[in-house]
Each structure stands twice: as C-alpha cells, then as structure tokens.
Amino acid sequence: MSEIREIQVPDIGDFKDLPVIEVLVKPGDSVAFDEPLLTLESDKASMDVPSPGAGIVVAVAIKEGDRVSKGSLILTLQMAVDDVPAAEPPVKSDAVAETVASAKDSAAPSGAFQPPAVPEVSVSDVKPRASPSIRRYARTLGIDIARVKGSAKGGRILREDIEGYVKNALVRLDTPGQRAEHGAGLNLLPWPDVDFTRFGTIEKVALSRIKKISGANLSRNWVMIPHVTNHEEVDITELEAFRVQLNQEGGKDAIKYTMLAFLIKAAVATLQAFPSFNSSLGNEDGEPILILKQYFHIGFAADTPNGLVVPVIRDADQKGIGQLATECAELARKARDGKLGPADMTGGTFTVSSLGGIGGTGFTPIINAPEVAILGVTRAQIRPVWDGNAFVPRLILPLALSWDHRVVDGAAAARFLQHLAALLADFRRIAL
C-alpha cells in the first residue's frame, strides 16, 4: 500500500528565501531515504535537502533559481505507508558535515565509501553533479571536477570522491601516463596559434636538442612542483680576498680557484646540516615517502652555445676546494664541447646555478626534479655597509634558494640560507 506525500522544505534555521541552485531529481526517479533532493545556498554554506523517505518522484514543484523557505513545497513522492516517517530530518550542510538521522530511521543501512580505483574520467559537456561547496573544495585543491567520478546516486560527487581522486593521483604520480594526465588536468587554454607573418618579416630557427629536452623538463618541473624562493645577501669580502690570494700564490699551471667551488663546498656542509634538502619524494606501497640520500652529488648549471646543461660532481663531500674547482672546469669544458655523457648529468641531489659571471641582481631558479631545492647565485657587488662607525665598502653576494613546499617549509629554508651565508661570510666555520 502506498500514498502520495508532499515533501516540503524542513526547518532550515533562521534562513528564509534561500536560492535553489540545483534540483537533483526529476519525475519518475526512485529516491532512497536521506538521498539529496535539491541544493540550497546561503551566504555561509550550501545545504542539501534530504528525502525523508524512500519512494518515486511524482512531480517536482520547484526549479533552479526559485527561492524557498521552511514549508515550501519541493515535490510529491509516492511512498509505501511503512516508509512514511513521523518527522522530517533537518537539512544537511556540507560546510559542517552534520550527521543526520531520525529516531525511527537511524538504523537505515549505508554502504561504506569506496574511492574510485582509477581517477581517469572522461570530460564531457555534461555538467558534473556536485554541490557548490564540493565545487569550491575541488577548486581549492586545483582539481578539474569534471574528471572526478561521483559515487552517489546519479553520479553525484561527494567530498570523499574528490579525496579519492587526489589520493589515486598521488599514488600513480610516478608513471608517465599519470604525468601526462595531470598536465592535462590543469585544464589550460590552448596555446595561441598566431600567423606572425601578418605583422612583419620573420625568421624561423629550429630549437637545439638541448633546449627541446630542457624546455620540456623545466615546464614539467615548474608546473608540478610548488616552488617557493627565499632570498638572502651575504658579505663575501674576506672569502673573495682569500680566493684571489690562493690564485696569486699558485703558478701558471696551478689550480684556478673559482667562487663556484667554494659555493659547492659550503652547500654540501649546509645539506649535511639540513638533510631534507638532500632528498627526493617517492612512494612505497602506494604511500608517499621522503628519500633521504646519504651521498652528495652536486649539479651546477653550465652555459653552452646550445643552451644550459647541468653536469654533476659526484661525492662532493669527499673532495677539497681544489679538486672541486678542477672538476668544475673539466665538466664545463666537456659541456661546451658537447662531450658530456649521461653519467656526467645524472644522480644529482642538489644544484647550484650561478650567473655571477654574467650579471644580474637576483632570479628565481626552477628546481631540477627529482631534487627538492636549487641555489641561485648572481653577481657580487661592492656596496657601502655600516660597520658601527662609518660606511665601508663590502662585497655582497645575492643568493636565491628555490624549494619544494611539499618537502620543505619556510622556516627550514630560511635557516638553510642563514647557515649557508654564515659559512660564506667566514669560511673558517667549514671546519667546525
């Protein structure tokens, strides 16, 4: 036996004339107890109005854009007599995630949520079924909600679906296919296709192989890694005087000490003090982990006629300044001659990118994945510095540290730079 029941907006507190932003059912639909019928939105939260019982929708009395208050007719529902509740449950708010149940129906079964096994959902012109709060939640995480598969009836997307999508995406992050999907998931506008000949004479120049490869890697790194860059300045007056003295003491065939060698030595000592900067993200059994490396292979950016390359000095912690300077020179020469092999450019744990020989006052270097940080250095300049009695000329070196915010936080980055600056300002500390 069944009866036709008018379903009205239940008690929604002090709210009146709330806009209907989505109607979730239509005539002929079967609805279960507690299944959302429509979504309302106040200035504070979005609210789903649940069905007070199971039945079949006979007619819907409202549409998107209507305004409703307590007692407004929503729809008529054909319900079994046994399913007619004594009282209607209150509205469920996504903002506070209330648990709703009536005294009579508190034992109604509900299946445990199972996150989607594969987050590959085709994007179509069909508008995803999700409340505004769920849409906002997806936007906050940078997720294209059209790619998420809803687990509720009719494909409606829940908060758990969003979280399941993110979890599966992180687990599969290592695979080439997933990297491609995540790039597409940014939902970027297509690159503009412009006929430049309309505006004047042009010349077409093919990109070098190095630029093609590095361009693709840099684009991936910049998009996939949440970069933050800290800046610092360090007084290297004494260190530069020491470097010049060492070069003057040597003969014509002696080692040429470079500032890069001192920077690498100081960077290694700082990495030893802050091991999270000498790490990489990985996963084990589907869970993200941090891989702390016990070796120190330091890459440095080398300028070549065909573009920048990054040769790597292995076991830099076991080498002195002279050996570091010699290896830097040899690798830079091989880079210019195009003779670097794969072994010369792999395995790096941290990179130093120095533009000191060219100029500039600062820049924000892009992290060389799978590393988690990179040090950028520009040209040192003489500046007047107050010593307590007078302004004196000092040689000031700008530093820029870009770091992966998934691994490092701002406080650690600031301490890393302070430690590095202290070593460069007084290199005797390297022996401590």
Side-chain angles (χ1 to χ4, degrees):
M1 182 176 179
S2 63
E3 69 174 42
I4 303 298
R5 172 80 179 273
E6 289 187 348
I7 307 301
Q8 300 173 340
V9 176
D11 185 1
I12 53 176
D14 296 331
F15 297 110
K16 294 182 180 180
D17 296 326
L18 292 183
V20 177
I21 58 173
E22 190 172 8
V23 177
L24 306 173
V25 295
K26 64 182 182 300
D29 283 353
S30 295
V31 297
F33 166 76
D34 210 28
E35 181 177 341
L37 302 176
L38 74 160
T39 303
L40 309 177
E41 187 168 43
S42 71
D43 57 350
K44 296 182 179 179
S46 62
M47 296 176 283
D48 286 340
V49 176
S51 175
I56 298 175
V57 177
V58 177
V60 178
I62 58 174
K63 62 183 182 302
E64 291 185 14
D66 288 349
R67 289 183 172 272
V68 298
S69 302
K70 177 183 177 181
S72 298
L73 179 63
I74 300 173
L75 51 79
T76 53
L77 192 65
Q78 183 178 358
M79 306 172 65
V81 173
D82 292 341
D83 289 334
V84 177
E88 293 179 338
V91 172
K92 297 170 66 177
S93 169
D94 287 320
V96 296
E98 295 176 320
T99 301
V100 180
S102 66
K104 181 177 180 180
D105 296 298
S106 60
S110 59
F113 166 74
Q114 295 294 330
V118 181
E120 296 177 354
V121 180
S122 61
V123 182
S124 68
D125 294 332
V126 178
K127 181 181 178 182
R129 301 187 67 183
S131 68
S133 63
I134 295 299
R135 294 176 187 277
R136 282 195 297 270
Y137 183 51
R139 287 196 298 269
T140 299
L141 298 177
I143 301 300
D144 179 2
I145 198 169
R147 292 181 167 269
V148 181
K149 182 179 180 180
S151 61
K153 183 176 179 180
R156 185 169 173 78
I157 298 170
L158 306 176
R159 185 184 182 94
E160 292 90 338
D161 298 320
I162 301 291
E163 293 169 349
Y165 178 90
V166 173
K167 180 178 179 180
N168 279 281
L170 289 174
V171 168
R172 300 175 58 214
L173 198 60
D174 277 350
T175 66
Q178 186 69 5
R179 293 192 191 107
E181 181 198 340
H182 276 261
L186 292 171
N187 198 24
L188 300 176
L189 292 173
W191 194 263
D193 186 11
V194 180
D195 180 9
F196 296 103
T197 58
R198 293 166 44 208
F199 311 109
T201 303
I202 66 170
E203 178 185 3
K204 295 182 179 180
V205 180
L207 287 175
S208 68
R209 180 175 175 275
I210 289 177
K211 288 185 178 180
K212 288 179 181 178
I213 295 173
S214 63
N217 281 297
L218 290 170
S219 296
R220 176 204 60 197
N221 297 351
W222 180 249
V223 170
M224 298 296 294
I225 300 173
H227 283 68
V228 183
T229 303
N230 284 35
H231 298 272
E232 185 60 271
E233 293 181 339
V234 55
D235 186 338
I236 60 166
T237 307
E238 276 75 25
L239 178 58
E240 175 63 8
F242 178 54
R243 186 188 72 83
V244 171
Q245 178 185 342
L246 288 175
N247 285 331
Q248 290 175 343
E249 289 175 354
K252 182 176 63 174
D253 298 326
I255 296 170
K256 181 181 179 181
Y257 291 90
T258 61
M259 185 56 66
L260 177 60
F262 286 94
L263 285 167
I264 291 175
K265 189 68 175 178
V268 168
T270 308
L271 291 170
Q272 290 172 326
F274 298 87
S276 62
F277 289 82
N278 199 60
S279 69
S280 288
L281 280 170
N283 70 71
E284 188 173 84
D285 298 328
E287 292 296 327
I289 61 170
L290 190 63
I291 301 170
L292 297 172
K293 300 161 189 173
Q294 306 302 314
Y295 53 90
F296 299 85
H297 300 341
I298 308 301
F300 66 95
D303 190 19
T304 76
N306 293 318
L308 288 174
V309 294
V310 183
V312 175
I313 296 180
R314 283 176 150 63
D315 300 315
D317 57 316
Q318 301 173 26
K319 297 171 182 176
I321 302 293
Q323 190 173 357
L324 292 174
T326 300
E327 286 197 27
C328 283
E330 291 175 351
L331 287 170
R333 176 183 51 77
K334 288 177 67 176
R336 288 191 299 271
D337 295 342
K339 295 181 179 180
L340 287 176
D344 295 321
M345 297 185 287
T346 56
T349 63
F350 185 82
T351 298
V352 177
S353 180
S354 176
L355 299 178
I358 301 173
T361 58
F363 69 111
T364 54
I366 298 177
I367 297 168
N368 188 20
E371 299 166 19
V372 299
I374 181 172
L375 178 67
V377 184
T378 48
R379 176 178 291 173
Q381 296 183 353
I382 296 292
R383 296 184 190 171
V385 177
W386 182 255
D387 68 356
N389 297 307
F391 283 101
V392 294
R394 306 293 292 180
L395 185 62
I396 306 300
L397 179 68
L399 303 176
L401 179 73
S402 290
W403 42 277
D404 187 335
H405 211 331
R406 297 172 299 178
V407 177
V408 180
D409 59 34
R415 293 188 182 100
F416 183 98
L417 270 183
Q418 287 293 313
H419 189 279
L420 178 64
L423 293 178
L424 295 173
D426 185 353
F427 216 73
R428 294 174 298 179
R429 295 175 181 270
I430 205 79
L432 298 179

